[in-house]
Amino acid sequence: MSERPTKAVLRVLNGEPVWPLPIWIMRQAGRYLPEYRATRSQAGSFLDLCYNPRLAEEVTLQPIRRFGFDASILFSDILVIPHALGQDVRFVENEGPKLDPVTSSKDFPRLADELPLERLDPVFETLDRLSRSLPKETTLLGFCGAPWTVASYMIAGKGTPDQAPARLTAYRDPAFMDALIDRLVRASTAYLIRQIDAGAEAVQIFESFGSALPPALFDRLSLDPIRRMVDGLKQARPQAKAIVFVRGGGANLHRFAAAGIGDALALDWTLDPAVVLPTLPNTVATQGNLDPLALIAGGEALTQGVDHVLAAARGRPHIFNLGHGILPETPIEHVERMIARVRGA
């Protein structure tokens, strides 16, 4: 019989209500922190920072030192997977990621069929370092992007407002899209398994572009691939816990819950927890979902936003978080106020 976890986040992921709610926030290591900006300036490129275990460990630890969050999430990026597969990936200042597009099966020879895990050894070293340097009460999270979200970048060569290039490809060349998604499912599953072996206790799968998918494509490109990833992870490492975050996937939230995909479902800020949470079984853990702009605004907007989540989540297995990543212009004192309100509830 497995030992009952003592860390608050892992207790929630085991289906246990914990009060006060444990808290961490997406993108908690980032540009809103002056210490992050100082470390980032030492690294060279953004990818250099991701692949430097000493500096990646440092920026991952910074929000833990400052705020004492209940979970620490690996500092990396979802695009290390296509980069490791062989696609050219670079980050342009003030523009974001740029990739040499992969648009048809003719481009597959440029990519490895299976993920060369050794190319990601620096990421696994970062996790190993964190597993030894984090406070004993802090859960260590790994992560990756969901196949549809990563494929959208690979096909368009950049972020696009509505993922039109990838959606159009899915309609025009379904065989290529299915083959790309399949390759990403296999690569991402292997990556997550290796993250668990390197010290991560749980992982989050980010479907950041879920809102772009129409019903005709959602199961094929999002729900089923994520199911396969979680199943593959659990078969290989039964102790691993998985949080699934589908931004804009509210209409499909109950389908993920009914299918048992993941140990927790993360809600974006567009969902009302007072409406959604009572419709989910008490055994389904959830996470979220303060609007990141309410955190920037502060004042009464922040107080009301935090209190609304707390009231809806009381008595349920829930992790307090934002409904998406924290934004660079967020005042640090607002983060401090949010944490104090969550922990003082």
Side-chain angles (χ1 to χ4, degrees):
M1 188 173 178
S2 61
E3 193 174 320
R4 181 175 175 272
T6 57
K7 297 182 180 183
V9 168
L10 293 181
R11 288 168 60 194
V12 171
L13 295 179
N14 259 19
E16 179 186 345
V18 175
W19 196 265
L21 298 180
I23 178 173
W24 70 278
I25 56 175
M26 291 181 274
R27 294 186 191 153
Q28 63 190 26
R31 288 176 291 168
Y32 74 108
L33 294 176
E35 56 265 44
Y36 169 84
R37 297 194 295 271
T39 306
R40 170 72 177 81
S41 67
Q42 301 173 30
S45 72
F46 178 77
L47 273 179
D48 287 337
L49 178 56
C50 292
Y51 290 141
N52 184 316
R54 181 182 63 82
L55 295 182
E57 176 194 24
E58 168 59 23
V59 295
T60 305
L61 289 170
Q62 286 168 352
I64 304 302
R65 293 194 198 109
R66 185 184 275 271
F67 303 116
F69 287 119
D70 294 291
S72 178
I73 188 164
L74 165 73
F75 181 84
S76 187
D77 193 84
I78 65 171
L79 296 182
V80 298
I81 290 275
H83 188 247
L85 287 172
Q87 189 171 17
D88 182 63
V89 178
R90 56 210 176 273
F91 286 80
V92 180
E93 201 67 33
N94 300 319
E95 291 185 37
K98 302 292 181 184
L99 303 85
D100 288 348
V102 172
T103 58
S104 75
S105 56
K106 293 178 182 177
D107 295 316
F108 274 150
R110 291 164 40 199
L111 304 177
D113 184 55
E114 301 292 337
L115 182 68
L117 284 166
E118 66 278 3
R119 294 187 185 175
L120 295 168
D121 278 346
V123 176
F124 307 134
E125 182 183 337
T126 301
L127 282 165
D128 178 67
R129 295 170 70 115
L130 287 164
S131 70
R132 291 179 278 113
S133 58
L134 280 168
K136 66 181 187 308
E137 67 274 11
T138 309
T139 299
L140 176 55
L141 302 174
F143 75 93
C144 73
W148 158 250
T149 291
V150 176
S152 299
Y153 279 109
M154 294 178 74
I155 291 168
K158 59 182 180 179
T160 53
D162 54 5
Q163 286 64 61
R167 277 167 45 221
L168 197 56
T169 299
Y171 288 124
R172 284 179 169 168
D173 194 348
F176 161 68
M177 178 59 89
D178 289 346
L180 180 58
I181 291 290
D182 181 67
R183 191 170 299 204
L184 288 170
V185 166
R186 288 184 281 111
S188 302
T189 304
Y191 182 44
L192 291 182
I193 291 168
R194 185 67 183 85
Q195 287 188 42
I196 294 295
D197 291 346
E201 298 164 289
V203 296
Q204 178 156 309
I205 298 169
F206 285 85
E207 185 71 286
S208 302
F209 297 155
S211 61
L213 284 168
L217 296 177
F218 189 86
D219 280 17
R220 180 179 135 221
L221 299 183
S222 183
L223 190 146
D224 289 340
I226 292 173
R227 184 209 311 270
R228 290 166 57 200
M229 284 174 59
V230 173
D231 286 350
L233 173 64
K234 297 280 191 175
Q235 287 168 15
R237 302 294 180 266
Q239 82 281 12
K241 299 294 181 182
I243 304 166
V244 176
F245 175 56
V246 182
R247 182 182 175 193
N252 296 286
L253 191 69
H254 291 82
R255 300 178 60 228
F256 276 90
I261 303 173
D263 298 284
L265 299 174
L267 284 59
D268 67 30
W269 76 89
T270 66
L271 298 174
D272 185 346
V275 174
V276 173
L277 296 187
T279 67
L280 295 172
N282 273 333
T283 53
V284 174
T286 47
Q287 177 179 281
N289 68 329
L290 180 71
D291 186 350
L293 292 184
L295 183 58
I296 290 178
E300 195 58 27
L302 174 57
T303 299
Q304 289 179 0
V306 170
D307 288 354
H308 189 66
V309 175
L310 295 179
R314 183 180 278 275
R316 296 185 54 89
H318 188 85
I319 299 163
F320 192 97
N321 206 314
L322 303 181
H324 200 235
I326 186 171
L327 295 163
E329 58 269 34
T330 304
I332 287 173
E333 58 270 24
H334 293 186
V335 180
E336 294 169 338
R337 182 178 171 192
M338 172 186 68
I339 294 169
R341 194 148 190 100
V342 170
R343 290 185 169 156

